[in-house]
Structure formats: structure tokens, C-alpha cells
């Protein structure tokens, strides 16, 4: 992998220069915006998207609310697991950051001294997006869009190769999907226990909501006729 990165004739490096070249042509203020968005903004937006979906789930209530909340809890947990898995991957591949191997890059964030493959930012955002998609398709599509934008930003900023980002997307997706059945088997009973708690039950459903399943976001619940959303749960 490191040998591939060192060559300037491969598509990975060419695409790196093409995307990062946009930063050179952009106004300084736009680069500062991309720096913030790529480093912090999209991560924050993804977390807020998960919280927004949780508020929607608990407001609707329904008999499958615990399973829906369990799927949403799994989204950030999947991101954490994926990052932990990435630690030995980075140590094994040992791919330097692109600006250490290639001259002429416009690096928007300094101080990156760890290895490049795979991108933690891409891994986290895609794992959360896929976990969110498991719970709710509409919110999940927005999350995947944010993850793709995050990947673009990391290359634009000059801190990752395109294949670092693709590898992060693959790792985050694999963890979120492959471990989802186990996570749901463990988390759903826990959410049901929380739902029955007089003190913590509001985390699962808002006060006053019923168990009729109206608007639930997982299959198997009763729905209103003509509901527009079709959602998934592991």
C-alpha cells in the first residue's frame, strides 16, 4: 500500500491531486469553511441527525419503539467499534499521510502525524450513517450523504488518499451491518427494560404516546394507511 502511494502514476494519487487542487483554486475563506466542516462539522451533524431521529421515534411511540431506539443506540456504538478495529489496521498497513509522500499538496489541517489508511472520519460517519439507515431509511439516506461529503472533505483537505476514504466507508459499513443482529439482540431487551422504568421510560417513548404502533420505524408494527416511510431494523 505504501509503495502504491509513492507512485504518482496511479489513479489514487491522480485523484488526490485533482480534488486537493480545488483547494488551491478556492478562496481562503472557503478553505477555512471546508477545514471546519471536514474536521468537526460533519461529525457533529451526523450526531445531531441521530438525535433528531431518536426524538422522532420517541414522539411516535408504538410497540416497536424499544427496537427502534436500540437500532439508534447501535449507530454510535458501531462507529466506536469500527474505530477500534481500525487501530490494528493502521498499524499493519503503515501508510504515511499523503503530504509526507507527495509535494505540492495544499494541506488545510496541520499536525497530522498518524498513519493515513484507513480514515477515521470516513469510518465513523459511514458507520453511524449505516446504523441510522438500519433504523430509518429516510434519516439514513441523509446520513450516508453526510458521510460521502466527509470523505470528499478529507481528500480536499490533503490529509487522506481517496482509497483511505473508501477503506473507511467499507470498514464502517461492514461493522454496522455484520454486527447489527448481535447488537440488536443485546440492546432491544435493554431498551424494553428502560421503557418499563418509571424514571427512564421517557428515553424510549414520550409521555402520553400509546403502544398502537402508529408511525413506528421498524417492520412488524402497525402503521397508518398510506404511510410514506418504509424503514428497516436489524
Amino acid at each position: 500500500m505504501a509503495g502504491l502511494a509513492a507512485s504518482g502514476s496511479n489513479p489514487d494519487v491522480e485523484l488526490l491531486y485533482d480534488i486537493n487542487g480545488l483547494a488551491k483554486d478556492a478562496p481562503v475563506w472557503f478553505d477555512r469553511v471546508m477545514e471546519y466542516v471536514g474536521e468537526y462539522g460533519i461529525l457533529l451533524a451526523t450526531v445531531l441527525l441521530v438525535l433528531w431521529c431518536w426524538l422522532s421515534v420517541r414522539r411516535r411511540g408504538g410497540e416497536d419503539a424499544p427496537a427502534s431506539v436500540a437500532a439508534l443506540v447501535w449507530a454510535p456504538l458501531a462507529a466506536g467499534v469500527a474505530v477500534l478495529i481500525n487501530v490494528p489496521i493502521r498499524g499493519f498497513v503503515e501508510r504515511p499521510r499523503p503530504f509526507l509522500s507527495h509535494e505540492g499538496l495544499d494541506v488545510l489541517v496541520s499536525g497530522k502525524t498518524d498513519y493515513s489508511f484507513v480514515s477515521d472520519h470516513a469510518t465513523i460517519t459511514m458507520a453511524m450513517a449505516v446504523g441510522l439507515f438500519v433504523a430509518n431509511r429516510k434519516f439514513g439516506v441523509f446520513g450516508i450523504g453526510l458521510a460521502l461529503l466527509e470523505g470528499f472533505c478529507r481528500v480536499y483537505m490533503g490529509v487522506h488518499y481517496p482509497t483511505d476514504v473508501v477503506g473507511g466507508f467499507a470498514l464502517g459499513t461492514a461493522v454496522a451491518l455484520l454486527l447489527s443482529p448481535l447488537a440488536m439482540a443485546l440492546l432491544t431487551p435493554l431498551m424494553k427494560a428502560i421503557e418499563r422504568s418509571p424514571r427512564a421510560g421517557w428515553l424510549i417513548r414520550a409521555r402520553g404516546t400509546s403502544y398502537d404502533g402508529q408511525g413506528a420505524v421498524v417492520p412488524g408494527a402497525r402503521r397508518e394507511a398510506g404511510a410514506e416511510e418504509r424503514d428497516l431494523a436489524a
Side-chain angles (χ1 to χ4, degrees):
M1 183 69 73
L4 179 65
S7 172
S9 61
N10 69 79
D12 193 24
V13 176
E14 292 176 359
L15 188 57
L16 166 67
Y17 275 106
D18 288 341
I19 296 177
N20 181 255
L22 299 174
K24 293 184 177 181
D25 299 331
V28 175
W29 66 265
F30 185 80
D31 283 350
R32 297 290 77 79
V33 170
M34 291 293 285
E35 175 186 346
Y36 176 81
V37 168
E39 194 74 6
Y40 309 107
I42 294 179
L43 291 175
L44 177 60
T46 304
V47 171
L48 293 177
L49 190 63
V50 173
L51 292 176
W52 184 9
C53 188
W54 165 69
L55 291 173
S56 176
V57 168
R58 66 181 293 272
R59 184 175 64 250
R60 290 171 180 166
E63 60 185 13
D64 285 325
S68 300
V69 175
L72 293 174
V73 171
W74 169 236
L77 290 179
V81 172
V83 169
L84 290 177
I85 294 175
N86 189 31
V87 173
I89 292 177
R90 281 193 167 193
F92 176 76
V93 177
E94 295 185 346
R95 189 185 204 184
R97 294 280 180 171
F99 53 81
L100 297 177
S101 303
H102 304 282
E103 297 179 353
L105 293 175
D106 190 4
V107 183
L108 302 187
V109 179
S110 60
K112 299 289 185 180
T113 59
D114 55 344
Y115 293 122
S116 183
F117 186 89
V118 297
S119 167
D120 276 340
H121 281 73
T123 300
I124 292 171
T125 52
M126 186 57 76
M128 292 187 66
V130 173
L132 186 58
F133 188 86
V134 168
N136 184 287
R137 284 187 176 181
K138 184 173 71 173
F139 282 92
V141 166
F142 281 108
I144 291 172
L146 288 174
L148 295 175
L149 179 58
E150 177 69 275
F152 176 83
C153 288
R154 302 306 289 176
V155 180
Y156 181 96
M157 295 160 61
V159 295
H160 281 293
Y161 295 94
T163 48
D164 297 339
V165 170
V166 173
F169 289 163
L171 177 59
T173 299
V175 169
L177 290 182
L178 295 180
L179 297 183
S180 178
L182 175 61
M184 291 298 295
L186 296 174
L187 291 173
T188 301
L190 177 61
M191 296 304 111
K192 289 181 178 179
I194 293 176
E195 181 186 31
R196 294 190 295 267
S197 170
R199 295 180 179 274
W202 62 272
L203 292 170
I204 310 301
R205 70 175 71 252
R207 290 183 176 87
T209 55
S210 65
Y211 290 78
D212 61 2
Q214 299 292 340
V217 297
V218 291
R222 296 183 293 276
R223 297 175 177 269
E224 293 179 340
E228 295 180 356
E229 293 182 1
R230 183 186 176 190
D231 304 306
L232 297 174

